[in-house]
Short mmCIF file of all heavy atoms in Angstrom, two decimals:
data_model
loop_
_atom_site.label_atom_id
_atom_site.label_comp_id
_atom_site.label_asym_id
_atom_site.label_seq_id
_atom_site.Cartn_x
_atom_site.Cartn_y
_atom_site.Cartn_z
N LEU A 1566 9.60 12.12 4.73
CA LEU A 1566 10.31 10.88 4.39
C LEU A 1566 11.72 10.90 4.98
O LEU A 1566 12.35 11.96 5.05
CB LEU A 1566 10.41 10.73 2.87
CG LEU A 1566 9.08 10.62 2.12
CD1 LEU A 1566 9.34 10.55 0.61
CD2 LEU A 1566 8.30 9.40 2.57
N THR A 1567 12.20 9.73 5.37
CA THR A 1567 13.59 9.66 5.84
C THR A 1567 14.51 9.65 4.62
O THR A 1567 14.08 9.36 3.49
CB THR A 1567 13.85 8.37 6.64
OG1 THR A 1567 13.58 7.26 5.79
CG2 THR A 1567 12.99 8.29 7.88
N ASN A 1568 15.77 9.93 4.89
CA ASN A 1568 16.76 9.93 3.82
C ASN A 1568 16.82 8.56 3.12
O ASN A 1568 16.92 8.47 1.90
CB ASN A 1568 18.12 10.29 4.44
CG ASN A 1568 19.07 10.73 3.36
OD1 ASN A 1568 18.66 11.38 2.39
ND2 ASN A 1568 20.32 10.34 3.49
N GLN A 1569 16.70 7.49 3.92
CA GLN A 1569 16.77 6.14 3.35
C GLN A 1569 15.60 5.90 2.37
O GLN A 1569 15.79 5.35 1.29
CB GLN A 1569 16.73 5.10 4.47
CG GLN A 1569 16.96 3.69 3.95
CD GLN A 1569 16.86 2.65 5.07
OE1 GLN A 1569 15.78 2.37 5.58
NE2 GLN A 1569 17.98 2.10 5.44
N THR A 1570 14.41 6.33 2.77
CA THR A 1570 13.25 6.12 1.89
C THR A 1570 13.40 6.97 0.62
O THR A 1570 13.07 6.52 -0.48
CB THR A 1570 11.94 6.47 2.64
OG1 THR A 1570 11.87 5.62 3.79
CG2 THR A 1570 10.72 6.26 1.78
N ILE A 1571 13.92 8.19 0.78
CA ILE A 1571 14.14 9.05 -0.40
C ILE A 1571 15.12 8.34 -1.35
O ILE A 1571 14.89 8.28 -2.56
CB ILE A 1571 14.63 10.44 0.03
CG1 ILE A 1571 13.47 11.19 0.72
CG2 ILE A 1571 15.18 11.24 -1.15
CD1 ILE A 1571 13.83 12.51 1.32
N GLU A 1572 16.17 7.77 -0.78
CA GLU A 1572 17.14 7.05 -1.61
C GLU A 1572 16.50 5.85 -2.30
O GLU A 1572 16.71 5.60 -3.49
CB GLU A 1572 18.33 6.59 -0.77
CG GLU A 1572 19.39 7.66 -0.67
CD GLU A 1572 20.44 7.37 0.38
OE1 GLU A 1572 20.53 6.22 0.84
OE2 GLU A 1572 21.16 8.33 0.73
N ASP A 1573 15.68 5.11 -1.54
CA ASP A 1573 15.02 3.93 -2.12
C ASP A 1573 14.08 4.31 -3.26
O ASP A 1573 13.93 3.59 -4.24
CB ASP A 1573 14.22 3.18 -1.03
CG ASP A 1573 15.14 2.41 -0.10
OD1 ASP A 1573 16.34 2.27 -0.41
OD2 ASP A 1573 14.66 1.95 0.96
N ASN A 1574 13.41 5.45 -3.12
CA ASN A 1574 12.42 5.84 -4.12
C ASN A 1574 13.02 6.63 -5.28
O ASN A 1574 12.33 6.90 -6.27
CB ASN A 1574 11.28 6.62 -3.46
CG ASN A 1574 10.44 5.70 -2.59
OD1 ASN A 1574 10.68 4.50 -2.53
ND2 ASN A 1574 9.46 6.25 -1.90
N ALA A 1575 14.31 6.96 -5.16
CA ALA A 1575 14.97 7.72 -6.23
C ALA A 1575 14.93 6.95 -7.55
O ALA A 1575 14.95 7.55 -8.63
CB ALA A 1575 16.40 8.04 -5.83
N ARG A 1576 14.82 5.61 -7.46
CA ARG A 1576 14.82 4.82 -8.71
C ARG A 1576 13.62 5.15 -9.59
O ARG A 1576 13.66 4.98 -10.80
CB ARG A 1576 14.85 3.32 -8.40
CG ARG A 1576 13.60 2.74 -7.76
CD ARG A 1576 13.90 1.33 -7.24
NE ARG A 1576 12.72 0.53 -6.96
CZ ARG A 1576 12.03 0.59 -5.81
NH1 ARG A 1576 12.39 1.44 -4.87
NH2 ARG A 1576 10.98 -0.18 -5.62
N PHE A 1577 12.54 5.66 -9.01
CA PHE A 1577 11.38 6.03 -9.82
C PHE A 1577 11.53 7.44 -10.41
O PHE A 1577 10.83 7.81 -11.33
CB PHE A 1577 10.09 5.99 -8.97
CG PHE A 1577 9.77 4.60 -8.46
CD1 PHE A 1577 9.87 4.29 -7.11
CD2 PHE A 1577 9.35 3.60 -9.33
CE1 PHE A 1577 9.57 3.02 -6.65
CE2 PHE A 1577 9.05 2.33 -8.88
CZ PHE A 1577 9.15 2.03 -7.53
N PHE A 1578 12.41 8.25 -9.82
CA PHE A 1578 12.53 9.66 -10.20
C PHE A 1578 13.77 9.95 -11.03
O PHE A 1578 13.92 11.04 -11.56
CB PHE A 1578 12.58 10.54 -8.94
CG PHE A 1578 11.26 10.65 -8.23
CD1 PHE A 1578 10.82 9.62 -7.41
CD2 PHE A 1578 10.45 11.77 -8.37
CE1 PHE A 1578 9.61 9.70 -6.74
CE2 PHE A 1578 9.24 11.86 -7.72
CZ PHE A 1578 8.83 10.83 -6.90
N GLY A 1579 14.70 8.97 -11.08
CA GLY A 1579 15.93 9.19 -11.81
C GLY A 1579 17.01 9.81 -10.93
O GLY A 1579 18.17 9.47 -11.04
N LYS A 1580 16.65 10.71 -10.02
CA LYS A 1580 17.63 11.40 -9.20
C LYS A 1580 17.05 11.62 -7.82
O LYS A 1580 15.88 12.00 -7.69
CB LYS A 1580 17.91 12.76 -9.84
CG LYS A 1580 19.35 13.09 -10.01
CD LYS A 1580 19.52 14.39 -10.76
CE LYS A 1580 20.96 14.84 -10.58
NZ LYS A 1580 21.17 16.19 -11.01
N LYS A 1581 17.88 11.41 -6.80
CA LYS A 1581 17.44 11.57 -5.41
C LYS A 1581 16.85 12.96 -5.16
O LYS A 1581 15.86 13.13 -4.43
CB LYS A 1581 18.68 11.34 -4.53
CG LYS A 1581 18.39 11.26 -3.08
CD LYS A 1581 19.68 11.09 -2.29
CE LYS A 1581 19.44 11.59 -0.88
NZ LYS A 1581 20.63 11.69 -0.08
N GLU A 1582 17.49 13.98 -5.77
CA GLU A 1582 17.07 15.37 -5.53
C GLU A 1582 15.64 15.63 -6.00
O GLU A 1582 15.00 16.58 -5.58
CB GLU A 1582 18.01 16.34 -6.28
CG GLU A 1582 19.40 16.48 -5.68
CD GLU A 1582 20.23 15.20 -5.77
OE1 GLU A 1582 20.07 14.45 -6.75
OE2 GLU A 1582 21.03 14.95 -4.84
N TYR A 1583 15.13 14.79 -6.91
CA TYR A 1583 13.79 15.03 -7.45
C TYR A 1583 12.69 14.42 -6.56
O TYR A 1583 11.51 14.67 -6.78
CB TYR A 1583 13.64 14.42 -8.85
CG TYR A 1583 14.58 14.99 -9.89
CD1 TYR A 1583 14.92 14.24 -11.02
CD2 TYR A 1583 15.10 16.28 -9.76
CE1 TYR A 1583 15.78 14.76 -11.98
CE2 TYR A 1583 15.96 16.80 -10.71
CZ TYR A 1583 16.31 16.03 -11.82
OH TYR A 1583 17.15 16.55 -12.77
N VAL A 1584 13.07 13.59 -5.59
CA VAL A 1584 12.04 12.92 -4.77
C VAL A 1584 11.47 13.94 -3.77
O VAL A 1584 12.24 14.54 -3.01
CB VAL A 1584 12.63 11.72 -3.99
CG1 VAL A 1584 11.54 10.98 -3.23
CG2 VAL A 1584 13.37 10.77 -4.93
N PRO A 1585 10.14 14.13 -3.75
CA PRO A 1585 9.57 15.05 -2.75
C PRO A 1585 9.90 14.58 -1.33
O PRO A 1585 10.07 13.38 -1.11
CB PRO A 1585 8.07 14.97 -3.00
CG PRO A 1585 7.93 14.44 -4.39
CD PRO A 1585 9.11 13.55 -4.61
N LYS A 1586 10.00 15.51 -0.42
CA LYS A 1586 10.39 15.14 0.96
C LYS A 1586 9.18 14.84 1.83
O LYS A 1586 9.31 14.27 2.92
CB LYS A 1586 11.23 16.25 1.58
CG LYS A 1586 12.56 16.42 0.85
CD LYS A 1586 13.49 17.36 1.56
CE LYS A 1586 14.86 17.41 0.90
NZ LYS A 1586 14.85 17.51 -0.56
N PHE A 1587 8.01 15.27 1.38
CA PHE A 1587 6.81 15.10 2.21
C PHE A 1587 5.74 14.31 1.46
O PHE A 1587 5.67 14.36 0.22
CB PHE A 1587 6.24 16.46 2.61
CG PHE A 1587 7.12 17.20 3.59
CD1 PHE A 1587 8.09 18.07 3.13
CD2 PHE A 1587 6.99 16.99 4.96
CE1 PHE A 1587 8.92 18.74 4.03
CE2 PHE A 1587 7.82 17.65 5.86
CZ PHE A 1587 8.78 18.52 5.40
N VAL A 1588 4.94 13.61 2.24
CA VAL A 1588 3.81 12.85 1.67
C VAL A 1588 2.61 13.00 2.59
O VAL A 1588 2.77 13.30 3.77
CB VAL A 1588 4.14 11.32 1.61
CG1 VAL A 1588 5.17 10.99 0.58
CG2 VAL A 1588 4.55 10.80 2.98
N ILE A 1589 1.43 12.77 2.01
CA ILE A 1589 0.26 12.58 2.87
C ILE A 1589 0.08 11.07 2.94
O ILE A 1589 0.01 10.40 1.91
CB ILE A 1589 -0.99 13.25 2.28
CG1 ILE A 1589 -0.81 14.77 2.26
CG2 ILE A 1589 -2.24 12.88 3.10
CD1 ILE A 1589 -1.93 15.53 1.57
N THR A 1590 0.04 10.54 4.15
CA THR A 1590 -0.08 9.09 4.28
C THR A 1590 -1.16 8.72 5.30
O THR A 1590 -1.35 9.43 6.29
CB THR A 1590 1.27 8.45 4.73
OG1 THR A 1590 1.10 7.03 4.83
CG2 THR A 1590 1.76 8.95 6.09
N ILE A 1591 -1.82 7.63 5.02
CA ILE A 1591 -2.73 7.04 6.00
C ILE A 1591 -1.87 6.65 7.21
O ILE A 1591 -0.75 6.20 7.06
CB ILE A 1591 -3.40 5.80 5.36
CG1 ILE A 1591 -4.49 6.25 4.37
CG2 ILE A 1591 -3.99 4.87 6.39
CD1 ILE A 1591 -5.27 5.13 3.77
N GLY A 1592 -2.38 6.86 8.43
CA GLY A 1592 -1.59 6.59 9.63
C GLY A 1592 -1.68 5.14 10.08
O GLY A 1592 -2.54 4.39 9.63
N PRO A 1593 -0.79 4.74 11.01
CA PRO A 1593 -0.82 3.36 11.52
C PRO A 1593 -2.19 2.99 12.11
O PRO A 1593 -2.68 1.87 11.92
CB PRO A 1593 0.25 3.34 12.62
CG PRO A 1593 1.13 4.49 12.32
CD PRO A 1593 0.31 5.51 11.60
N GLN A 1594 -2.81 3.95 12.80
CA GLN A 1594 -4.11 3.65 13.41
C GLN A 1594 -5.17 3.44 12.32
O GLN A 1594 -6.00 2.55 12.42
CB GLN A 1594 -4.51 4.80 14.36
CG GLN A 1594 -5.87 4.63 15.02
CD GLN A 1594 -5.98 3.36 15.88
OE1 GLN A 1594 -4.99 2.92 16.47
NE2 GLN A 1594 -7.17 2.78 15.93
N THR A 1595 -5.12 4.26 11.27
CA THR A 1595 -6.07 4.12 10.15
C THR A 1595 -5.87 2.74 9.51
O THR A 1595 -6.84 2.07 9.16
CB THR A 1595 -5.85 5.24 9.10
OG1 THR A 1595 -5.60 6.46 9.78
CG2 THR A 1595 -7.04 5.39 8.18
N ILE A 1596 -4.62 2.32 9.39
CA ILE A 1596 -4.33 1.00 8.81
C ILE A 1596 -4.84 -0.09 9.75
O ILE A 1596 -5.43 -1.07 9.32
CB ILE A 1596 -2.81 0.85 8.55
CG1 ILE A 1596 -2.37 1.82 7.45
CG2 ILE A 1596 -2.47 -0.60 8.16
CD1 ILE A 1596 -0.87 1.89 7.21
N PHE A 1597 -4.64 0.12 11.04
CA PHE A 1597 -5.04 -0.90 12.01
C PHE A 1597 -6.55 -1.15 11.97
O PHE A 1597 -7.02 -2.24 12.26
CB PHE A 1597 -4.60 -0.47 13.43
CG PHE A 1597 -4.71 -1.57 14.42
CD1 PHE A 1597 -3.79 -2.62 14.41
CD2 PHE A 1597 -5.75 -1.61 15.33
CE1 PHE A 1597 -3.90 -3.67 15.31
CE2 PHE A 1597 -5.86 -2.67 16.23
CZ PHE A 1597 -4.93 -3.70 16.22
N GLU A 1598 -7.31 -0.11 11.59
CA GLU A 1598 -8.77 -0.25 11.56
C GLU A 1598 -9.29 -0.97 10.33
O GLU A 1598 -10.48 -1.26 10.22
CB GLU A 1598 -9.41 1.15 11.68
CG GLU A 1598 -9.24 1.72 13.08
CD GLU A 1598 -9.55 3.20 13.18
OE1 GLU A 1598 -10.10 3.78 12.22
OE2 GLU A 1598 -9.23 3.78 14.24
#
Side-chain angles (χ1 to χ4, degrees):
L1566 298 177
T1567 60
N1568 198 36
Q1569 187 183 71
T1570 301
I1571 290 174
E1572 273 168 15
D1573 286 348
N1574 290 357
R1576 68 192 197 277
F1577 296 111
F1578 288 79
K1580 229 175 166 192
K1581 189 182 156 189
E1582 288 66 33
Y1583 299 156
V1584 184
K1586 295 189 174 45
F1587 290 91
V1588 290
I1589 294 174
T1590 181
I1591 284 184
Q1594 178 60 31
T1595 320
I1596 294 173
F1597 193 74
E1598 289 167 11

